[in-house]
Amino acid sequence: MRLVAESFAWPFRASWRSAWLVGLLAVIFVPLLFIPLLGYAIEATRTAETGAQGPPAWQLSTRLLLDGLWTSAAVLLIALPFALLLNPLASTLHALGEPNAHVIAFFALALPWGLVSLLLMPHATAAFASSGRPRDLFDFAAALRGVRRDFMTWNVAAAAIVTSWAIGLACAGVLCVGVVPGVFYAILVSAHAAAALHREGPHPSAR
């Protein structure tokens, strides 16, 4: 599980404090800074792919904004089918007498959406970060081929991503730290884990 350990430690390496300072502000104002935050996630993935020992500094640029824009489009595209199913499923549950139909429908669809995102986004993100070509973000067939080609690395990377988000959300209550640093930590761990799928040089050991 070397990859998991490296991904968990990576957000706190090198000159991480300045990256965190801006990153926390971006998470706080995520309704306004959603696109720059996603752009930074791509930049973090790109940096990790080169083997850099720590998250990159924030540099607001056209590339960062475009990366964030394309990534948000990919995220929304994956979420769209599940969003379209929400109301029909809730209506069916309501007709069956379920008073919390929309809540149950939301969580029922959240699991398959999460699984599909895990199958598609890590490889797509890593490929896009490496090439800079937006079409790589939407080449879901290539992402699935990547999972089949190196299932072990993807499996460990997915485990790191899921665990980091669980830790990030736990920060809101259990750890009494707050959800904001937890979310930014999860973004950085996810970036490093995804980078393992397209890193320059040998892949890190998944064991």
Side-chain angles (χ1 to χ4, degrees):
M1 302 298 285
R2 179 183 169 190
L3 171 59
V4 175
E6 289 181 351
S7 294
F8 283 177
W10 190 74
F12 302 110
R13 290 178 175 168
S15 302
W16 61 274
R17 290 178 179 83
S18 59
W20 272 77
L21 180 61
V22 181
L24 294 179
L25 291 174
V27 175
I28 290 172
F29 297 104
V30 69
L32 297 175
L33 300 177
F34 180 69
I35 288 177
L37 185 60
L38 285 181
Y40 179 78
I42 296 297
E43 181 60 30
T45 304
R46 185 177 294 122
T47 299
E49 286 177 345
T50 67
Q53 296 300 307
W58 281 78
Q59 293 184 345
L60 188 61
S61 64
T62 301
R63 183 180 193 181
L64 183 138
L65 294 176
L66 287 175
D67 285 350
L69 186 63
W70 285 115
T71 305
S72 64
V75 170
L76 291 174
L77 181 62
I78 292 174
L80 182 60
F82 301 97
L84 293 176
L85 287 172
L86 179 61
N87 282 333
L89 179 57
S91 297
T92 301
L93 292 172
H94 184 73
L96 294 174
E98 175 53 56
N100 300 311
H102 272 87
V103 175
I104 294 176
F106 174 82
F107 284 105
L109 292 171
L111 179 59
W113 168 74
L115 292 174
V116 171
S117 296
L118 275 176
L119 279 172
L120 301 180
M121 285 306 294
H123 272 287
T125 297
F128 174 53
S130 177
S131 70
R133 296 189 299 264
R135 67 174 179 269
D136 288 336
L137 262 178
F138 302 93
D139 193 347
F140 298 142
L144 291 175
R145 288 195 299 271
V147 172
R148 290 196 299 267
R149 182 175 59 249
D150 193 359
F151 178 79
M152 181 60 71
T153 301
W154 170 83
N155 189 46
V156 176
I161 292 170
V162 171
T163 305
S164 69
W165 281 99
I167 293 172
L169 296 178
C171 285
V174 177
L175 301 181
C176 299
V177 175
V179 71
V180 171
V183 167
F184 189 63
Y185 175 73
I187 289 172
L188 292 177
V189 172
S190 299
H192 184 274
L197 303 172
H198 207 285
R199 186 164 295 152
E200 295 178 3
H203 285 308
S205 173
R207 294 178 292 178

